[in-house]
Amino acid sequence: MTTETDAHWMALALAEARLAAEAGEVPVGAVLVKDGQVIATGRNTPVAQHDPSAHAEINALRTGAAALGNYRLDGCELFVTLEPCAMCAGAMLHSRLARVVFGTIDAKTGAAGSVLDLFAEPRLNHRTQVQGGVLAEECGAVLQAFFQQRRSVAREQAEPLRDDALRTPSERFAALGDYAFAPHYVQDLPSLNGWRLHFVDEEGAPGEDGQLASCLCLHGPGEWGYFFRRLTGAQGLRTLVPDLIGFGKSDKPKREAAHRLEWHRDVLLEWLDRVQPQPVVLVHSAAAADLASLLQAAAADRFVDVIAAPDGGERIKDAWRAPYPDRGYEAALRALGPLASSSGPTAVQAGALARLVRNAMGYSTS
Ligand SMILES: [Zn+2]
């Protein structure tokens, strides 16, 4: 049973895990508690310390034992965000902890029931209680986010940039906290010629009827997917938001001649065939009207309906400037159109737009 107190200590361990992530370590955190007081905290530091044993639990046990002046931690409880490994479980048994509470399970190396269960081994002389599942979801999410980020960095390095193109550094977008959706990339479509296309693919919570209506959100020249930030992930929708090559987070060919609407149309249709072969609703900004017409003319059966998105008319120049550190990146702007003066739908407009999309698909709207 999870008590409020257990959750409280686990939240402290989670804060340690987040600090580990910031330091580039696998995010696991621990706190050692005795008589309702924190004796020690610990987080993963193997990378920083060149020490394979520097797990969060070991660090917390070491600090705690030093603070108490005793290698035995009688009456202490250890809270850790991840199921302990065999090394840590062994150290916990040696320290005579009264109780171990962990967050999420570790299916690969967990030694408290997942791979083996040292705490339940009758041949070991121990008296440590163990309990898992406290704030399991939060503890797991921190790890997942960390590994997802690491994979995307690895992919970044694995996806080479063509000599005739530029790739906007991701720091340029860091301030746009309202567009922090997981990045997706595609580079191997024939029409892409090796340039890398970025897109967002977010599923909102299902609608009341359990359905998700898929929509392709199309920005125009001078804009990027940011235009649809308030529609992205809306309830009842799967929002597919590509950045056209030359814009947003996609690669930026340096030659103006590369940027033709017909080519963007071909790329989009190939990409759509891969990510969503069933018909979608096409939602476009005013600036994307020409491209939307080209798409519809070329593949009418791919689109259930075409809807022009309203514009809230705010001033958001920084977001439109973000993709372009200097003029070298701006070939698409020179070829197809200037920096946007739009801002995308307001929250209220996005809500109405989501209902229009669901209506177009024949799904219920409340
Ligand atoms: Zn460990």
Side-chain angles (χ1 to χ4, degrees):
M1 193 192 70
T2 302
T3 65
E4 231 172 87
T5 338
D6 282 355
H8 168 74
W9 300 127
M10 191 59 80
L12 294 186
L14 255 173
E16 288 294 315
R18 294 201 173 96
L19 290 176
E22 281 171 27
E25 304 272 3
V26 173
V28 180
V31 296
L32 187 68
V33 175
K34 186 174 189 183
D35 303 327
Q37 298 233 307
V38 173
I39 305 296
T41 61
R43 57 177 180 266
N44 250 356
T45 55
V47 179
Q49 299 198 276
H50 314 294
D51 179 358
S53 73
H55 288 190
E57 303 95 307
I58 301 285
N59 285 338
L61 292 175
R62 282 209 173 110
T63 311
L68 295 174
N70 191 338
Y71 74 97
R72 291 210 165 145
L73 299 169
D74 291 301
C76 289
E77 297 173 292
L78 185 85
F79 295 80
V80 56
T81 56
L82 180 66
E83 181 182 352
C85 71
M87 171 184 73
C88 291
M92 288 167 191
L93 295 174
H94 283 300
S95 67
R96 302 280 200 273
L97 283 181
R99 186 163 171 257
V100 173
V101 179
F102 67 85
T104 190
I105 60 160
D106 183 348
K108 286 190 186 137
T109 62
S114 285
V115 177
L116 68 161
D117 192 349
L118 281 177
F119 297 96
E121 174 51 60
R123 287 165 295 181
L124 292 176
N125 179 19
H126 66 79
R127 51 200 175 129
T128 301
Q129 295 175 33
V130 65
Q131 184 194 341
V134 175
L135 301 189
E137 216 167 290
E138 291 92 327
C139 294
V142 172
L143 284 158
Q144 267 172 14
F146 176 80
F147 287 113
Q148 189 174 26
Q149 159 77 10
R150 203 142 87 165
R151 277 193 298 274
S152 73
V153 169
R155 197 168 37 215
E156 192 83 30
Q157 284 154 358
E159 289 170 352
L161 176 63
R162 277 179 55 151
D163 291 344
D164 60 354
L166 294 162
R167 190 169 285 171
T168 308
S170 52
E171 306 88 76
R172 295 274 307 176
F173 302 97
L176 303 173
D178 52 351
Y179 205 70
F181 302 106
H184 296 265
Y185 299 103
V186 58
Q187 193 165 10
D188 61 350
L189 298 171
S191 61
L192 278 173
N193 305 319
W195 288 311
R196 193 182 74 171
L197 180 94
H198 165 264
F199 64 100
V200 163
D201 182 353
E202 287 289 321
E203 292 189 355
E208 284 161 20
D209 51 5
Q211 302 277 7
L212 283 178
S214 294
C215 58
L216 163 56
C217 301
L218 188 63
H219 73 80
E223 303 162 340
W224 54 285
Y226 187 78
F227 184 92
F228 295 101
R229 64 199 174 283
R230 297 200 182 94
L231 186 67
T232 303
Q235 187 186 358
L237 293 192
R238 177 185 176 201
T239 34
L240 290 156
V241 194
D243 287 337
L244 298 177
I245 295 288
F247 300 96
K249 300 180 179 181
S250 289
D251 282 352
K252 311 210 166 41
K254 295 178 204 166
R255 279 183 307 118
E256 289 164 38
H259 301 282
R260 293 173 20 255
L261 284 186
E262 291 76 12
W263 173 65
H264 287 296
R265 169 199 62 198
D266 298 343
V267 169
L268 287 168
L269 290 174
E270 269 182 25
W271 165 78
L272 197 55
D273 278 345
R274 177 173 298 182
V275 293
Q276 173 61 7
Q278 287 81 39
V280 298
V281 176
L282 176 56
V283 179
H284 67 84
S285 69
D290 290 347
L291 185 52
S293 303
L294 283 176
L295 279 169
Q296 216 186 354
D301 55 330
R302 298 294 281 110
F303 305 105
V304 179
D305 201 355
V306 180
I307 300 173
D311 186 67
E314 304 147 70
R315 291 165 165 267
I316 57 160
K317 207 158 187 206
D318 287 354
W320 301 137
R321 279 253 48 107
Y324 312 107
D326 63 55
R327 276 183 57 79
Y329 290 74
E330 295 178 1
L333 294 180
R334 292 192 289 274
L336 293 178
L339 211 58
S341 54
S342 56
S343 70
T346 63
V348 172
Q349 288 171 332
L353 196 50
R355 286 190 291 278
L356 282 176
V357 170
R358 287 185 56 82
N359 272 330
M361 278 282 187
Y363 297 150
S364 71
T365 51
S366 53

